[in-house]
Amino acid sequence: KMLCRVSNLRRYAASLSPALNCVASRQKHTLPDLPYDYGALEPHISAEIMQVHHSKHHATYVNNLNVAEEKYQEALAKGDVTSQIALQPALKFNGGGHINHSIFWTNLSSNSRGEPQGELLEAIKRDFGSFEKMKEKMSAACVAVQGSGWGWLGFERESGRLRVAACANQDPLQATTGLIPLLGIDVWEHAYYLQYKNVRPDYVKAIWNVVNWENVSERLRAANK
């Protein structure tokens, strides 16, 4: 009887597997809520920019990622390798946009301490000489991005060091460079044009006033585990 029950349970589990896989494949990415109001970062980033950036631009990446993933699932089911390859740019662009912005919103706060503390500050001093030198290096990387992209402070797990990097378009830092993202600065024009026009350096200078160093510190602690 016991063997019969085990056999029945196995058959039941096997019958559920396709249904569970189907449910998993239909899970959709959603736009995350901001942990603050659209106007919370003023005067450094205007409420209008935050509203458009979050509810329009980020939402578009989420919607397009869901569409691309659905098409990719269909291509996988059909064994259509050509379509799978053709969908890679859309997955990278929209998936990267969703990943990057989800980090970006949490990297910002209306209650910024102005500069990091503790373990993060010590790591910055060790790898860049001082907090000001790190800011200068990261700011320069952000300003130097040609066209659209991101500037990042990342953690290199192999060396245990902090690194500054820049990524084009919506290329996600970890998938592109192997660095674990700690702090990202969006330098697409939609992140600042309504307020700073085409003067990117002014925007980059201003955003340091609203960096959530507690969030950056939490990301470093998680990366060190």
Side-chain angles (χ1 to χ4, degrees), residues 99-100 152 155 157 167 171-181:
I99 290 169
N100 294 341
W152 290 97
F155 177 73
R157 182 164 280 161
C167 292
D171 294 0
L173 182 69
Q174 190 165 0
T176 305
T177 68
L179 298 175
I180 298 171

Side-chain angles (χ1 to χ4, degrees), residues 103-151:
I103 295 169
F104 183 61
W105 306 132
T106 64
N107 276 167
L108 304 177
S109 171
S110 60
N111 299 313
S112 176
R113 287 180 174 175
E115 62 179 59
Q117 298 179 353
E119 179 187 357
L120 175 60
L121 180 58
E122 292 307 309
I124 288 172
K125 288 179 178 178
R126 179 196 66 207
D127 296 333
F128 299 99
S130 70
F131 173 56
E132 286 303 318
K133 287 181 180 178
M134 185 280 288
K135 278 177 63 177
E136 289 171 9
K137 186 169 185 178
M138 189 168 171
S139 295
C142 290
V143 172
V145 170
Q146 295 183 340
S148 302
W150 291 72

Side-chain angles (χ1 to χ4, degrees), residues 78 82 84 132 149 154:
K78 294 176 183 176
T82 299
Q84 292 171 41
E132 286 303 318

Side-chain angles (χ1 to χ4, degrees), residues 8 55-56 78 89 96 112 114 121 125 134 165-166 193 213 217 224:
N8 287 338
S55 69
K56 303 296 183 184
K78 294 176 183 176
S112 176
L121 180 58
K125 288 179 178 178
M134 185 280 288
Y193 195 86
W213 291 112
S217 293
N224 268 315

